[in-house]
Amino acid sequence: MCQHRRGVRERGWIHGYPAQTGNIFAMTTKQICHIRSLELLGTMSHRDMLRALDAMKVAYPELLFFAPAHFYAVPGKLDPAKRGQADDRPSKDLTTLYADAASCFAALGEEQADFKRAPAIRMAMRAPWPEEIASGDVMRMRGGDTSGHFKYYADDPDLWRQKGRLVDMTVPAVEPRTILSVEYNGNRRLLHPPPHLPNEKAHPPDSFGAAREIDSLSQFADVFTWYNVDDSETAEFMTTFKRLFNKQITTRFAWYDPATGRYLDRYRGRYKQHIGRDLLAWLCHHPGVYAGISSVFEDIPDLAGRLVGLGPAPDYKAEVFLEEGLPIDDIDGLTAEERDRLLRRHEKKMKAG
């Protein structure tokens, strides 16, 4: 069995071998595979995700898209008796393969609506090996009927080769959806802080104004798989996908007052936020809609405890407007220096043609 990042002793076994008395890191046979997870997350538009997948198709022309072996419902959206449990059901069609992500997304929408996943759609992609393509066997080309959900610590190189370059993912809805922020369950803590957090400040409903938020369930993108890093072809595939996925996301945010829409400050949160570039450009044209609404951490001067909406940074908005031939003089928060610099750069780009 493969050794994972941490030594884990569970039910009398260490990495799949009987635990020895004394030292938990007792010697085991030499590992053959080195297993790593690929996990990518972001709030993205449908176009953001498809751009990454289309770029993968260019890099790997043999790439195929299909229904995953199982669909999983969104936690909390299930029957109350099953709340908190994953609703794991098989797809009705494991034999249809699609050459592009858009076709696969469109075909799976109706089927997954019953699993509370729509409008975001779960699907899988895989680049089959040449011998699998030559065989014409659909199940071999999709890596079998399990979507690779065997234990990450399996130590059989042939098993990981059979899984191969396979990734499960969630692709966001075609059009961004919004929710009225003050009525969103996630804002309950902002309206009514829990008693065990005495430093949390309560924000009355009028603090939100008419602000709306992106519906994260419809615009959530995620990618996940386990793979053997000792397989150089598989490792290169995963590295390429991570690079192409990350090209579609950015951290160029700013804080705005939800009640007035006025610019407050550049985002300076302690944790990095990521959002798709296309989705952030969409927000540029929808003032009053934010990627999220929260309360500022107390260690940021002048804004501690302030209710803020997360939106595009002024210079990002200016870049979007310039590309679309729109004026940038009235962009809130854009300094004269930033405006002049962006105008010069845009003029230079246009001349270069």
Side-chain angles (χ1 to χ4, degrees):
M1 298 294 176
C2 289
Q3 186 176 8
H4 195 42
R5 292 183 178 180
R6 295 187 180 92
V8 179
R9 181 171 183 170
E10 183 178 3
R11 297 181 182 176
W13 291 74
I14 302 178
H15 304 309
Y17 293 89
Q20 306 295 320
T21 57
N23 185 0
I24 190 172
F25 297 102
M27 290 184 62
T28 62
T29 57
K30 184 178 180 180
Q31 61 194 41
I32 300 174
C33 305
H34 293 79
I35 307 307
R36 183 175 298 168
S37 66
L38 174 70
E39 186 171 12
L40 306 171
L41 305 170
T43 303
M44 305 173 76
S45 75
H46 183 76
R47 288 175 289 275
D48 282 316
M49 190 66 169
L50 256 59
R51 283 172 182 166
L53 298 178
D54 289 346
M56 280 296 290
K57 181 69 177 182
V58 172
Y60 295 88
E62 68 274 27
L63 192 65
L64 297 171
F65 301 87
F66 45 85
H70 294 82
F71 295 138
Y72 298 90
V74 177
K77 292 289 185 178
L78 303 173
D79 181 278
K82 298 181 180 180
R83 192 176 299 273
Q85 303 176 20
D87 193 7
D88 181 358
R89 312 183 200 179
S91 169
K92 298 174 183 177
D93 185 5
L94 297 180
T95 60
T96 303
L97 305 178
Y98 300 88
D100 63 276
S103 298
C104 185
F105 180 93
L108 296 181
E110 182 176 349
E111 181 178 11
Q112 294 196 40
D114 295 335
F115 296 85
K116 311 301 182 185
R117 283 297 323 186
I121 299 297
R122 281 202 72 247
M123 49 194 275
M125 73 173 182
R126 185 174 185 266
W129 305 117
E131 62 272 18
E132 295 170 340
I133 298 174
S135 74
D137 187 327
V138 172
M139 297 310 293
R140 285 187 66 188
M141 285 191 281
R142 60 171 287 140
D145 61 357
T146 65
S147 277
H149 292 308
F150 49 86
K151 299 298 184 182
Y152 69 82
Y153 49 74
D155 202 31
D156 183 351
D158 292 335
L159 184 62
W160 287 105
R161 186 71 177 182
Q162 177 185 339
K163 176 180 179 179
R165 299 169 293 184
L166 172 67
V167 173
D168 282 350
M169 68 191 79
T170 300
V171 179
V174 173
E175 290 297 331
R177 299 191 177 193
T178 62
I179 49 179
L180 183 60
S181 179
V182 73
E183 295 180 357
Y184 176 43
N185 286 341
N187 288 321
R188 190 174 300 158
R189 173 177 164 181
L190 298 174
L191 291 167
H192 307 289
H196 65 280
L197 295 173
N199 293 330
E200 291 284 340
K201 177 182 176 182
H203 301 278
D206 58 7
S207 300
F208 294 82
R212 302 184 71 86
E213 285 185 87
I214 290 290
D215 179 5
S216 59
L217 290 182
S218 70
Q219 303 309 132
F220 177 68
D222 80 299
V223 172
F224 184 81
T225 194
W226 295 101
Y227 67 99
N228 178 14
V229 297
D230 294 332
D231 185 326
S232 59
E233 292 177 283
T234 300
E236 182 182 16
F237 178 89
M238 301 303 173
T239 300
T240 300
F241 189 31
K242 182 177 180 179
R243 174 176 57 82
L244 295 175
F245 183 95
N246 286 338
K247 283 181 66 176
Q248 301 303 322
I249 57 179
T250 182
T251 58
R252 295 175 64 184
F253 308 126
W255 280 323
Y256 296 84
D257 184 338
T260 65
R262 296 299 308 227
Y263 169 80
L264 295 175
D265 199 358
R266 192 84 178 198
Y267 175 75
R268 292 182 283 139
R270 62 179 69 177
Y271 301 111
K272 284 189 176 181
Q273 301 273 352
H274 295 90
I275 190 170
R277 293 179 179 275
D278 181 80
L279 184 57
L280 196 58
W282 182 90
L283 288 172
C284 292
H285 295 288
H286 293 79
V289 179
Y290 301 101
I293 294 179
S294 62
S295 182
V296 177
F297 293 114
E298 293 192 10
D299 55 355
I300 297 180
D302 302 325
L303 289 175
R306 181 76 178 263
L307 191 68
V308 294
L310 197 63
D315 60 330
Y316 187 87
K317 187 173 183 178
E319 289 180 6
V320 170
F321 280 17
L322 287 172
E323 288 293 326
E324 298 175 359
L326 300 175
I328 64 173
D329 292 338
D330 296 330
I331 293 179
D332 191 16
L334 186 69
T335 66
E337 292 77 13
E338 288 175 326
R339 182 194 61 215
D340 294 341
R341 174 177 57 83
L342 291 171
L343 283 170
R344 288 194 300 270
R345 188 168 70 182
H346 181 70
E347 292 172 357
K348 183 178 180 180
K349 180 179 177 181
M350 295 299 291
K351 289 180 180 178

